[in-house]
Amino acid sequence: MDTLLTKLGEAVEAGKVDKNSPYPPQMKGQDGADELAGQVLANGVAPTALLTEALVPAMDRVGQKFSENKIFVPQMLMSAKAMGAAMQHLKPFFQSGDVKTKGTFIIGTVKGDLHDIGKNLVAMMVEGGGWTIIDLGVDVNEDTFSQAVSENPGAVVGLSALLTTTMANMEAIVKKIKETHPDTTILVGGAPLTDDFRSKIGADFYSPDPRGAVEYLKELAA
Ligand code: B1M
């Protein structure tokens, strides 16, 4: 089983989406992230193990190689695509929560930022925790967030950012939401954030991972 998890991590790292994918040429005809994720789960591995032992470490290696100029944006995109193919297999597990009655969770990656893998994972897991999800996508500005809250009174909002430059944009979004809808609870997350930063921008809760967001929302709904 470790071999399959290793192979899955390698496929994501190399950007091998599925068997038919021509990229990378040296892996032509081999199973990709899509097939391997299916095989791992069919062998009874827990979905969270697939995530924490194969997919997330693979993306970390991708980030490391990018920092060292060993790969560039197109390769990083192929890895993201491969990760997305594997994540499709996780969806049914993370979404099979209770009936969706706990409330509405509006989520988006903040303006200037196109990273959506972490945001999608948070959305999947919160949905599995029994919340209705409104996913605003990536590069979302303060007006769009505020509008979504107007359309969904009482909704909780989640902001994601992966860049040190774009996390700064969270402040204006929090400000606008709190001005227009003062009672809105706002969660923030993403690799460069800290709880100090959360406190500085006036958001209500910071979680480094989807699990923390789910737990916080559970308490909020209790
Ligand atoms: Co970009 N990128 N990227 N990238 N990218 C990073 C983030 C980087 C760390 C890579 C590096 O240099 N080592 C670096 C940021 C440096 C910094 O600012 N600190 C970087 C850079 C520089 C860039 C560009 C500027 C590169 C360029 O063009 N020169 C560019 C920016 C584009 C833009 O957004 N405007 C860029 C582009 C891209 C791609 C488009 C090619 C692609 C994204 C594709 C996509 O998302 N669809 C990409 C990728 C794939 C990465 C890395 C390799 C992987 C990100 C990822 O998906 N991780 C990343 C390096 C890395 O993270 N190791 C990197 C896996 C994911 C599960 O983790 O997203 O952290 P993460 O989410 C976690 C937690 O953060 C948390 O839960 C998730 C699950 O555990 N979380 C929340 C996230 N949101 C949350 C919200 C919550 C709670 C928890 O509550 C609401």
Side-chain angles (χ1 to χ4, degrees):
M1 184 45 49
D2 281 357
T3 324
L4 263 185
L5 276 175
T6 305
K7 274 186 161 179
L8 173 59
E10 285 169 356
V12 169
E13 189 176 347
K16 176 76 176 165
V17 179
D18 57 29
K19 197 169 187 151
N20 295 327
S21 164
Y23 180 86
Q26 70 275 19
M27 290 177 88
K28 193 168 176 233
Q30 292 179 26
D31 284 342
D34 186 15
E35 292 83 11
L36 289 164
Q39 291 164 26
V40 169
L41 291 169
N43 274 281
V45 172
T48 42
L50 185 152
L51 194 59
T52 56
E53 289 171 33
L55 302 184
V56 171
M59 289 313 269
D60 281 344
R61 293 196 295 277
V62 170
Q64 184 63 33
K65 283 194 202 162
F66 179 77
S67 303
E68 294 165 357
N69 290 325
K70 289 182 178 153
I71 60 164
F72 300 94
V73 171
Q75 285 106 317
M76 209 152 65
L77 260 179
M78 289 311 293
S79 292
K81 218 171 158 194
M83 170 113 180
M87 272 166 56
Q88 286 305 314
H89 292 266
L90 298 177
K91 249 187 180 169
F93 294 93
F94 292 140
Q95 290 180 334
S96 59
D98 321 330
V99 185
K100 297 168 180 38
T101 54
K102 289 191 181 145
T104 299
F105 185 63
I106 297 168
I107 188 164
T109 303
V110 301
K111 70 178 169 188
D113 200 321
L114 304 175
H115 296 85
D116 68 356
I117 296 175
K119 183 263 299 166
N120 293 345
L121 271 173
V122 174
M124 260 185 220
M125 294 195 196
V126 170
E127 189 172 16
W131 291 69
T132 300
I133 302 297
I134 296 186
D135 187 343
L136 300 176
V138 296
D139 192 18
V140 185
N141 67 24
E142 52 271 44
D143 294 334
T144 305
F145 275 110
S146 174
Q147 178 67 26
V149 181
S150 300
E151 289 164 8
N152 298 278
V156 177
V157 176
L159 310 179
S160 177
L162 260 287
L163 300 172
T164 41
T165 46
T166 57
M167 71 189 239
N169 296 338
M170 285 180 159
E171 186 164 10
I173 297 171
V174 171
K175 189 163 174 257
K176 171 91 184 197
I177 297 172
K178 293 283 185 187
E179 266 168 21
T180 50
H181 307 88
D183 296 334
T184 308
T185 301
I186 305 177
L187 274 74
V188 294
L193 272 75
T194 60
D195 195 51
D196 271 1
F197 177 76
R198 179 225 35 101
S199 154
K200 197 177 133 257
I201 64 170
D204 299 286
F205 187 72
Y206 157 71
S207 172
D209 51 40
R211 179 60 40 211
V214 171
E215 290 303 319
Y216 177 73
L217 289 169
K218 202 165 149 189
E219 279 172 30
L220 209 63

